[in-house]
Amino acid sequence: TDASTGENVSMLIITGVRKTNEATFRCSEGGSTSATFVLSVLEVMVTPAEYEYKETRLLGCQVADNTQEYTYSWEYNGEDVTKMKVDDKQSFTVHDNGSLEITNPPRNVAGVYTCVATSTDGKRVSAPVDFFAHPYVIPFDKSKNLVQDEKLTIECKVLGHPKPSILWQKDGVDVTEDESKYSLKSADTYDGEPIENGKLEIKEVDFSDEGTYLCMAVHETKFPGFNSTQTVLVRVKDKLAALWPFLGIVAEVAILCTIIFIYEKKRNKDNAQEEDANQDGATPEKQSEGVRHRQSATNPRA
């Protein structure tokens, strides 16, 4: 019963409609009234494509209906592809036969495209078409230098369609979520969209966290046995490492001051000894000179 009108409502739902579901359906109530519905199913033949570096690719779309003609358009993320540009160039061309040509596409335009077919009598039918691409990890910094107790954050940016999964390793050993050490978080690293395990964090690094960390992108269903990886070497320094150059300078200044102090003290001691020696050398002369004067006074002949 329809809550708004109070009338009895009967509904027929067909999931996964196919060409074989074409039929005339009749709905009746108590045999007195009936309504007839004709279900026509249009088949759309689609041809997916797979990304190849600097290779023009072709996505196919064709309505299997000989009773009338169709015009075709294509959309990507709800936008008309003919209005899209890649590196300021027009890379998308829709052909009369329904195919979409993508000239030298970059990897990040892989995804689900929508083919829209419009008949001469205005009927529209659409179908999704996949533009596949192998998983790919965008290169990042090859090394990170941190100080003990600093936070380590590594983001893994990936491309590919279907959306790949991200795995982490440290020195060849799988990294899993560990509250006491590792934290694996969702991040907007899938061409700006969220992806699970896109970020690895360690709240406070220690010397044991040094090593080579690896980010791996895989899609075992579509591309079994294939993976893309990037690595980063993490080094951890002592938290006092920044003080060592300063302490070295202080030590050099202290040693220099000590040398200057010892030198000055020794020089002052040598000067004092020289003055004492000069004074000691002058006394006998004066004594002998005094004796001669006395002798002259007592002995006038002399």
Side-chain angles (χ1 to χ4, degrees), residues 159-202:
L159 298 173
H161 176 71
K163 179 187 288 189
S165 300
I166 293 180
L167 307 175
W168 292 91
Q169 291 183 352
K170 177 183 180 290
D171 296 331
V173 179
D174 291 341
V175 172
T176 57
E177 185 79 21
D178 181 356
E179 294 182 359
S180 63
K181 176 63 68 174
Y182 302 109
S183 177
L184 300 178
K185 298 182 178 181
S186 175
D188 296 336
T189 56
Y190 177 59
D191 199 23
E193 297 180 8
I195 185 170
E196 189 176 356
N197 297 338
K199 181 192 300 184
L200 182 148
E201 289 184 350
I202 300 177

Side-chain angles (χ1 to χ4, degrees), residues 259-301:
I259 293 173
I260 293 174
F261 174 76
I262 294 173
Y263 172 77
E264 290 293 334
K265 186 175 181 180
K266 184 176 183 302
R267 190 179 69 169
N268 291 337
K269 183 177 180 181
D270 291 342
N271 290 340
Q273 290 177 349
E274 185 177 349
E275 290 177 1
D276 291 342
N278 290 337
Q279 290 176 1
D280 292 342
T283 301
E285 268 182 43
K286 292 181 180 180
Q287 289 178 348
S288 60
E289 185 178 339
V291 170
R292 285 196 297 273
H293 285 303
R294 286 195 298 272
Q295 287 177 352
S296 299
T298 58
N299 188 4
R301 295 180 181 178

Side-chain angles (χ1 to χ4, degrees), residues 150-152 181-182 200-205 209 213:
E150 278 190 333
K151 182 179 180 180
L152 169 66
K181 176 63 68 174
Y182 302 109
L200 182 148
E201 289 184 350
I202 300 177
K203 290 184 178 179
E204 297 179 348
V205 296
D209 298 317
Y213 291 79

